[in-house]
Amino acid sequence: MSDRIPIILDVDTGTDDALALAYAVRSPRIDLVAATTVAGNVSVEKTTANTLAVLDWLGAESVPVHRGASRPLVQPHRDAIYFHDEGGLGGARLPASRRSVGADRGPAAVIRLAFQRPGELTLVMLGPLTNLAIALNVEPRLADWLRAVVVMAGAYTVPGNTTPAAEFNVLVDPEAAQQVFAAPFRDLVAVGLDVTERVALTRDDWDAVNPGSSLPPPAALLAEVGKFAFSALSRDQFSLHDPLSVAVAADPSLIQTENVTIEVEPVEPERGRTRIVGPGSVRVATSVDAERALHDFRSTLELPTAGRRGLESGTE
Ligand code: RIB
Ligand code: CA
Protein backbone atom coordinates (compact mmCIF):
# COMPACT_ATOMS: atom_id res chain seq x y z
CA MET A 1 0.00 0.00 0.00
CA SER A 2 3.00 2.35 0.64
CA ASP A 3 3.80 3.01 -3.05
CA ARG A 4 0.22 4.11 -3.70
CA ILE A 5 -0.61 7.80 -3.44
CA PRO A 6 -3.25 8.51 -0.78
CA ILE A 7 -6.11 10.59 -2.16
CA ILE A 8 -9.42 12.05 -1.03
CA LEU A 9 -12.06 12.37 -3.76
CA ASP A 10 -14.64 15.17 -3.50
CA VAL A 11 -17.49 14.15 -5.79
CA ASP A 12 -20.95 15.09 -7.08
CA THR A 13 -21.73 11.56 -8.25
CA GLY A 14 -22.69 11.84 -11.28
CA THR A 15 -21.96 9.41 -14.07
CA ASP A 16 -18.36 10.42 -14.71
CA ASP A 17 -17.75 10.75 -10.97
CA ALA A 18 -18.90 7.12 -10.67
CA LEU A 19 -16.33 6.06 -13.25
CA ALA A 20 -13.70 8.16 -11.44
CA LEU A 21 -14.51 6.32 -8.19
CA ALA A 22 -14.11 3.03 -10.04
CA TYR A 23 -10.77 4.14 -11.45
CA ALA A 24 -9.53 5.23 -8.00
CA VAL A 25 -10.67 1.99 -6.35
CA ARG A 26 -9.10 -0.23 -9.03
CA SER A 27 -5.89 1.68 -9.79
CA PRO A 28 -2.75 0.03 -8.35
CA ARG A 29 -1.27 3.51 -7.92
CA ILE A 30 -4.00 4.94 -5.71
CA ASP A 31 -5.06 4.49 -2.08
CA LEU A 32 -8.55 5.98 -1.84
CA VAL A 33 -8.63 7.28 1.75
CA ALA A 34 -12.12 8.83 1.73
CA ALA A 35 -14.81 10.46 -0.41
CA THR A 36 -16.63 13.69 0.35
CA THR A 37 -19.82 14.70 -1.44
CA VAL A 38 -21.30 17.97 -2.62
CA ALA A 39 -24.41 19.31 -4.34
CA GLY A 40 -23.58 19.43 -8.02
CA ASN A 41 -24.85 17.17 -10.78
CA VAL A 42 -27.75 16.35 -8.46
CA SER A 43 -28.65 17.18 -4.84
CA VAL A 44 -26.18 16.33 -2.08
CA GLU A 45 -28.61 13.71 -0.79
CA LYS A 46 -28.44 11.96 -4.16
CA THR A 47 -24.71 12.47 -4.71
CA THR A 48 -24.10 10.97 -1.27
CA ALA A 49 -26.40 7.97 -1.81
CA ASN A 50 -24.89 7.45 -5.28
CA THR A 51 -21.32 7.55 -3.95
CA LEU A 52 -22.11 4.99 -1.26
CA ALA A 53 -23.88 2.74 -3.78
CA VAL A 54 -21.04 2.92 -6.31
CA LEU A 55 -18.33 2.19 -3.72
CA ASP A 56 -20.32 -0.76 -2.35
CA TRP A 57 -20.90 -2.04 -5.92
CA LEU A 58 -17.12 -2.00 -6.36
CA GLY A 59 -16.50 -3.83 -3.08
CA ALA A 60 -15.00 -0.69 -1.52
CA GLU A 61 -17.29 -0.62 1.51
CA SER A 62 -14.29 0.33 3.67
CA VAL A 63 -13.95 3.74 2.03
CA PRO A 64 -15.72 6.30 4.26
CA VAL A 65 -18.10 8.80 2.65
CA HIS A 66 -18.65 12.20 4.27
CA ARG A 67 -21.61 14.32 3.22
CA GLY A 68 -20.70 17.90 2.30
CA ALA A 69 -22.25 21.14 1.17
CA SER A 70 -25.94 21.12 0.24
CA ARG A 71 -25.70 24.31 -1.83
CA PRO A 72 -23.15 26.75 -3.29
CA LEU A 73 -21.72 29.60 -1.18
CA VAL A 74 -23.92 32.35 -2.60
CA GLN A 75 -26.36 31.47 -5.40
CA PRO A 76 -28.98 28.68 -5.38
CA HIS A 77 -27.86 25.22 -6.52
CA ARG A 78 -28.34 24.30 -10.19
CA ASP A 79 -28.08 20.65 -11.24
CA ALA A 80 -27.15 18.73 -14.38
CA ILE A 81 -29.96 16.17 -14.60
CA TYR A 82 -30.19 16.98 -18.31
CA PHE A 83 -27.02 14.88 -18.69
CA HIS A 84 -26.84 12.66 -15.61
CA ASP A 85 -30.62 11.89 -15.42
CA GLU A 86 -32.87 12.44 -12.39
CA GLY A 87 -31.04 10.10 -10.04
CA GLY A 88 -27.61 11.30 -11.14
CA LEU A 89 -26.31 7.89 -12.28
CA GLY A 90 -27.52 7.96 -15.87
CA GLY A 91 -30.36 5.55 -15.23
CA ALA A 92 -28.16 3.02 -13.43
CA ARG A 93 -30.01 0.76 -11.00
CA LEU A 94 -27.46 -0.06 -8.30
CA PRO A 95 -28.46 -1.60 -4.96
CA ALA A 96 -28.80 1.11 -2.31
CA SER A 97 -26.02 1.05 0.27
CA ARG A 98 -26.98 0.03 3.79
CA ARG A 99 -24.03 1.76 5.46
CA SER A 100 -24.04 5.25 6.98
CA VAL A 101 -22.06 8.31 6.05
CA GLY A 102 -19.05 9.28 8.16
CA ALA A 103 -19.62 11.18 11.38
CA ASP A 104 -18.07 14.46 10.26
CA ARG A 105 -19.21 16.51 7.31
CA GLY A 106 -17.14 16.81 4.12
CA PRO A 107 -15.12 19.97 4.87
CA ALA A 108 -14.45 18.83 8.46
CA ALA A 109 -13.33 15.40 7.26
CA VAL A 110 -10.85 16.93 4.80
CA ILE A 111 -9.43 19.18 7.55
CA ARG A 112 -9.18 16.26 10.02
CA LEU A 113 -7.49 13.89 7.57
CA ALA A 114 -5.04 16.54 6.31
CA PHE A 115 -4.17 17.48 9.92
CA GLN A 116 -3.58 13.81 10.79
CA ARG A 117 -1.38 13.25 7.70
CA PRO A 118 0.35 16.59 6.97
CA GLY A 119 2.00 16.76 3.55
CA GLU A 120 0.77 13.30 2.51
CA LEU A 121 -2.71 13.64 1.03
CA THR A 122 -3.80 14.69 -2.46
CA LEU A 123 -7.32 16.13 -2.68
CA VAL A 124 -9.04 15.66 -6.04
CA MET A 125 -12.08 17.88 -6.57
CA LEU A 126 -14.57 16.51 -9.10
CA GLY A 127 -17.58 18.73 -8.42
CA PRO A 128 -18.27 22.34 -7.49
CA LEU A 129 -15.52 23.62 -5.17
CA THR A 130 -17.84 24.51 -2.30
CA ASN A 131 -16.46 22.03 0.26
CA LEU A 132 -12.87 23.14 -0.27
CA ALA A 133 -13.77 26.83 -0.01
CA ILE A 134 -15.58 26.16 3.28
CA ALA A 135 -12.67 24.08 4.62
CA LEU A 136 -10.15 26.82 3.74
CA ASN A 137 -12.37 29.38 5.43
CA VAL A 138 -12.48 27.57 8.78
CA GLU A 139 -8.89 26.23 8.57
CA PRO A 140 -6.57 28.30 6.32
CA ARG A 141 -3.63 26.04 7.29
CA LEU A 142 -5.27 23.32 5.15
CA ALA A 143 -3.54 24.84 2.10
CA ASP A 144 -0.19 23.80 3.55
CA TRP A 145 -1.32 20.50 5.07
CA LEU A 146 -2.39 19.07 1.70
CA ARG A 147 0.39 17.62 -0.47
CA ALA A 148 -1.48 18.62 -3.65
CA VAL A 149 -4.91 19.56 -4.98
CA VAL A 150 -6.26 18.65 -8.41
CA VAL A 151 -9.50 20.32 -9.52
CA MET A 152 -11.63 19.31 -12.48
CA ALA A 153 -12.67 22.90 -13.12
CA GLY A 154 -12.86 25.50 -15.82
CA ALA A 155 -12.44 26.04 -19.53
CA TYR A 156 -9.46 28.18 -20.48
CA THR A 157 -9.04 28.03 -24.26
CA VAL A 158 -12.32 26.30 -25.21
CA PRO A 159 -16.01 27.17 -24.72
CA GLY A 160 -17.85 26.14 -21.58
CA ASN A 161 -20.09 23.07 -21.47
CA THR A 162 -22.99 24.56 -19.50
CA THR A 163 -23.02 28.09 -20.92
CA PRO A 164 -20.78 29.25 -23.76
CA ALA A 165 -18.58 30.86 -21.10
CA ALA A 166 -18.61 28.40 -18.20
CA GLU A 167 -17.75 24.84 -17.25
CA PHE A 168 -20.32 23.24 -14.91
CA ASN A 169 -18.27 22.81 -11.69
CA VAL A 170 -17.18 26.45 -11.76
CA LEU A 171 -20.57 27.78 -12.87
CA VAL A 172 -22.39 26.13 -9.97
CA ASP A 173 -20.13 27.90 -7.44
CA PRO A 174 -17.93 30.61 -8.98
CA GLU A 175 -17.29 32.26 -5.61
CA ALA A 176 -15.89 29.00 -4.25
CA ALA A 177 -13.77 28.51 -7.35
CA GLN A 178 -12.31 32.01 -7.03
CA GLN A 179 -11.34 31.33 -3.40
CA VAL A 180 -9.73 28.01 -4.30
CA PHE A 181 -7.73 29.44 -7.20
CA ALA A 182 -6.41 32.18 -4.89
CA ALA A 183 -5.38 29.88 -2.03
CA PRO A 184 -1.65 29.24 -1.32
CA PHE A 185 -1.60 25.46 -1.91
CA ARG A 186 1.70 23.61 -2.17
CA ASP A 187 0.56 22.39 -5.60
CA LEU A 188 -2.76 23.20 -7.34
CA VAL A 189 -3.49 21.68 -10.74
CA ALA A 190 -6.49 22.84 -12.78
CA VAL A 191 -7.77 20.23 -15.25
CA GLY A 192 -10.24 21.95 -17.54
CA LEU A 193 -12.38 21.06 -20.53
CA ASP A 194 -9.40 21.97 -22.72
CA VAL A 195 -7.97 18.53 -21.93
CA THR A 196 -10.89 16.51 -20.50
CA GLU A 197 -12.95 16.80 -23.68
CA ARG A 198 -10.08 15.14 -25.54
CA VAL A 199 -10.30 11.97 -23.44
CA ALA A 200 -13.65 10.34 -24.26
CA LEU A 201 -15.18 6.89 -24.47
CA THR A 202 -16.81 6.11 -27.80
CA ARG A 203 -19.94 4.29 -28.89
CA ASP A 204 -17.70 1.29 -29.60
CA ASP A 205 -16.75 1.25 -25.91
CA TRP A 206 -20.44 1.39 -25.05
CA ASP A 207 -21.35 -1.37 -27.49
CA ALA A 208 -18.55 -3.53 -26.08
CA VAL A 209 -20.09 -3.51 -22.59
CA ASN A 210 -23.66 -4.25 -23.70
CA PRO A 211 -25.40 -6.39 -22.74
CA GLY A 212 -23.75 -5.83 -19.35
CA SER A 213 -23.85 -9.41 -18.10
CA SER A 214 -20.67 -11.40 -17.39
CA LEU A 215 -18.51 -8.27 -17.02
CA PRO A 216 -16.26 -7.43 -14.05
CA PRO A 217 -17.93 -4.85 -11.75
CA PRO A 218 -16.07 -1.77 -13.00
CA ALA A 219 -16.84 -2.56 -16.65
CA ALA A 220 -20.44 -3.41 -15.73
CA LEU A 221 -20.65 -0.01 -14.02
CA LEU A 222 -20.09 1.66 -17.39
CA ALA A 223 -22.93 -0.47 -18.81
CA GLU A 224 -25.11 0.97 -16.08
CA VAL A 225 -24.13 4.64 -15.89
CA GLY A 226 -23.73 5.04 -19.65
CA LYS A 227 -27.38 4.27 -20.45
CA PHE A 228 -28.74 7.81 -20.37
CA ALA A 229 -25.91 9.37 -22.36
CA PHE A 230 -25.49 6.66 -25.00
CA SER A 231 -29.10 5.47 -25.27
CA ALA A 232 -31.52 8.19 -24.22
CA LEU A 233 -29.36 11.07 -25.45
CA SER A 234 -27.79 9.07 -28.29
CA ARG A 235 -24.43 10.64 -27.57
CA ASP A 236 -21.50 9.18 -29.52
CA GLN A 237 -18.88 10.28 -26.98
CA PHE A 238 -18.63 10.35 -23.20
CA SER A 239 -15.91 12.71 -21.91
CA LEU A 240 -13.92 11.34 -18.98
CA HIS A 241 -13.71 14.69 -17.15
CA ASP A 242 -13.47 13.19 -13.67
CA PRO A 243 -11.55 9.96 -14.36
CA LEU A 244 -8.83 11.94 -16.16
CA SER A 245 -8.49 14.30 -13.18
CA VAL A 246 -7.95 11.33 -10.86
CA ALA A 247 -5.46 9.79 -13.28
CA VAL A 248 -3.52 13.07 -13.37
CA ALA A 249 -3.23 13.00 -9.58
CA ALA A 250 -1.57 9.58 -9.83
CA ASP A 251 0.46 10.30 -12.98
CA PRO A 252 1.13 14.00 -13.59
CA SER A 253 3.08 13.10 -16.74
CA LEU A 254 -0.26 12.61 -18.53
CA ILE A 255 -0.55 16.38 -18.95
CA GLN A 256 1.59 19.42 -19.63
CA THR A 257 0.88 22.56 -17.61
CA GLU A 258 1.56 26.27 -17.43
CA ASN A 259 1.90 28.29 -14.20
CA VAL A 260 -0.83 30.92 -14.21
CA THR A 261 -3.17 33.11 -12.21
CA ILE A 262 -6.86 32.32 -12.79
CA GLU A 263 -9.77 34.68 -12.20
CA VAL A 264 -13.43 33.67 -12.20
CA GLU A 265 -16.15 35.95 -13.62
CA PRO A 266 -18.73 36.47 -10.83
CA VAL A 267 -21.54 38.21 -12.74
CA GLU A 268 -23.76 37.44 -15.70
CA PRO A 269 -23.77 37.11 -18.63
CA GLU A 270 -20.39 35.38 -18.37
CA ARG A 271 -20.71 34.21 -14.77
CA GLY A 272 -18.37 31.26 -14.22
CA ARG A 273 -15.93 32.05 -17.03
CA THR A 274 -12.35 31.18 -16.00
CA ARG A 275 -9.73 33.59 -17.30
CA ILE A 276 -5.94 33.24 -17.23
CA VAL A 277 -4.84 36.76 -16.26
CA GLY A 278 -1.09 36.29 -16.03
CA PRO A 279 1.70 34.18 -14.51
CA GLY A 280 1.08 32.60 -11.13
CA SER A 281 1.14 29.45 -9.04
CA VAL A 282 -1.80 27.46 -10.43
CA ARG A 283 -0.72 24.75 -12.88
CA VAL A 284 -3.33 24.72 -15.64
CA ALA A 285 -3.37 21.73 -17.99
CA THR A 286 -2.54 22.78 -21.55
CA SER A 287 -2.24 19.36 -23.25
CA VAL A 288 -2.88 15.68 -22.50
CA ASP A 289 -1.59 12.34 -23.74
CA ALA A 290 -5.15 11.29 -24.58
CA GLU A 291 -4.24 7.92 -26.06
CA ARG A 292 -2.26 6.85 -22.99
CA ALA A 293 -4.95 8.18 -20.65
CA LEU A 294 -7.69 6.26 -22.47
CA HIS A 295 -5.64 3.07 -22.57
CA ASP A 296 -4.92 3.37 -18.85
CA PHE A 297 -8.60 3.97 -18.07
CA ARG A 298 -9.85 1.07 -20.19
CA SER A 299 -7.34 -1.36 -18.72
CA THR A 300 -7.90 -0.18 -15.12
CA LEU A 301 -11.66 -0.69 -15.46
CA GLU A 302 -11.15 -3.93 -17.42
CA LEU A 303 -13.27 -2.67 -20.30
CA PRO A 304 -13.61 -5.17 -23.14
CA THR A 305 -11.76 -4.07 -26.25
CA ALA A 306 -14.36 -2.71 -28.65
CA GLY A 307 -15.31 -5.36 -31.18
CA ARG A 308 -13.74 -8.29 -29.36
CA ARG A 309 -15.83 -8.46 -26.21
CA GLY A 310 -15.38 -11.68 -24.28
CA LEU A 311 -12.13 -12.61 -25.96
CA GLU A 312 -10.08 -10.28 -23.83
CA SER A 313 -10.67 -7.36 -21.57
CA GLY A 314 -8.67 -4.35 -20.67
CA THR A 315 -5.91 -4.46 -23.29
CA GLU A 316 -5.84 -3.09 -26.83
O1 RIB B 1 -18.02 19.94 -16.43
C1 RIB B 1 -17.85 18.59 -16.10
C2 RIB B 1 -17.88 18.40 -14.62
O2 RIB B 1 -19.15 18.82 -14.10
C3 RIB B 1 -17.75 16.93 -14.21
O3 RIB B 1 -17.13 16.86 -12.97
C4 RIB B 1 -19.18 16.49 -14.11
O4 RIB B 1 -19.34 15.36 -13.25
C5 RIB B 1 -19.81 17.71 -13.50
O5 RIB B 1 -19.57 17.67 -12.10
CA1 CA C 1 -18.26 15.64 -11.20
Side-chain angles (χ1 to χ4, degrees):
M1 191 66 84
S2 60
D3 57 354
R4 293 169 182 248
I5 73 151
I7 71 169
I8 301 170
L9 285 189
D10 184 87
V11 290
D12 62 334
T13 310
T15 53
D16 60 325
D17 305 71
L19 297 178
L21 286 162
Y23 180 84
V25 166
R26 301 298 286 239
S27 171
R29 288 181 294 196
I30 292 173
D31 170 22
L32 182 56
V33 172
T36 55
T37 63
V38 67
N41 288 317
V42 288
S43 68
V44 71
E45 289 75 18
K46 289 181 181 177
T47 62
T48 303
N50 291 344
T51 302
L52 286 163
V54 167
L55 288 171
D56 290 5
W57 169 280
L58 295 161
E61 295 90 342
S62 62
V63 177
V65 176
H66 299 272
R67 203 201 75 183
S70 55
R71 60 172 176 77
L73 297 183
V74 177
Q75 297 289 353
H77 171 231
R78 62 179 290 167
D79 63 33
I81 62 173
Y82 51 83
F83 182 78
H84 297 269
D85 200 8
E86 281 291 330
L89 282 180
R93 291 185 309 282
L94 305 184
S97 173
R98 288 197 294 272
R99 63 189 174 110
S100 305
V101 289
D104 42 6
R105 291 287 174 258
V110 170
I111 292 168
R112 171 176 54 81
L113 290 165
F115 174 72
Q116 289 168 348
R117 301 176 64 172
E120 286 185 40
L121 300 181
T122 295
L123 174 63
V124 183
M125 304 296 291
L126 302 179
L129 299 174
T130 316
N131 285 333
L132 183 49
I134 292 168
L136 286 167
N137 187 325
V138 298
E139 184 45 88
R141 293 176 295 175
L142 176 66
D144 190 48
W145 291 345
L146 288 168
R147 175 176 178 237
V149 177
V150 178
V151 296
M152 194 279 121
Y156 305 91
T157 62
V158 297
N161 61 353
T162 309
T163 68
E167 179 276 322
F168 178 79
N169 287 337
V170 173
L171 180 62
V172 170
D173 200 341
E175 289 77 14
Q178 181 61 57
Q179 291 175 25
V180 167
F181 286 133
F185 294 108
R186 295 185 186 194
D187 183 19
L188 173 60
V189 179
V191 180
L193 300 180
D194 318 68
V195 295
T196 64
E197 288 179 339
R198 289 158 53 183
V199 182
L201 295 179
T202 65
R203 182 157 288 277
D204 285 349
D205 289 297
W206 170 247
D207 293 342
V209 294
N210 279 284
S213 58
S214 76
L215 287 169
L221 183 66
L222 172 59
E224 287 293 326
V225 304
K227 287 176 189 167
F228 192 63
F230 282 108
S231 297
L233 300 180
S234 301
R235 302 284 288 260
D236 283 331
Q237 284 214 315
F238 185 100
S239 295
L240 296 177
H241 306 294
D242 293 345
L244 176 63
S245 302
V246 178
V248 163
D251 180 1
S253 72
L254 282 169
I255 58 172
Q256 294 191 324
T257 62
E258 279 178 11
N259 289 22
V260 300
T261 296
I262 295 170
E263 286 190 358
V264 182
E265 178 60 52
V267 297
E268 296 301 354
E270 296 212 326
R271 178 169 167 80
R273 179 182 287 280
T274 43
R275 288 190 180 89
I276 293 173
V277 296
S281 60
V282 179
R283 297 198 297 124
V284 66
T286 54
S287 65
V288 60
D289 185 339
E291 189 176 339
R292 184 157 66 90
L294 264 172
H295 184 279
D296 171 45
F297 177 78
R298 289 182 175 127
S299 60
T300 302
L301 266 71
E302 299 178 72
L303 297 187
T305 302
R308 293 200 301 279
R309 181 170 169 232
L311 297 178
E312 58 189 328
S313 71
T315 55
E316 290 187 294

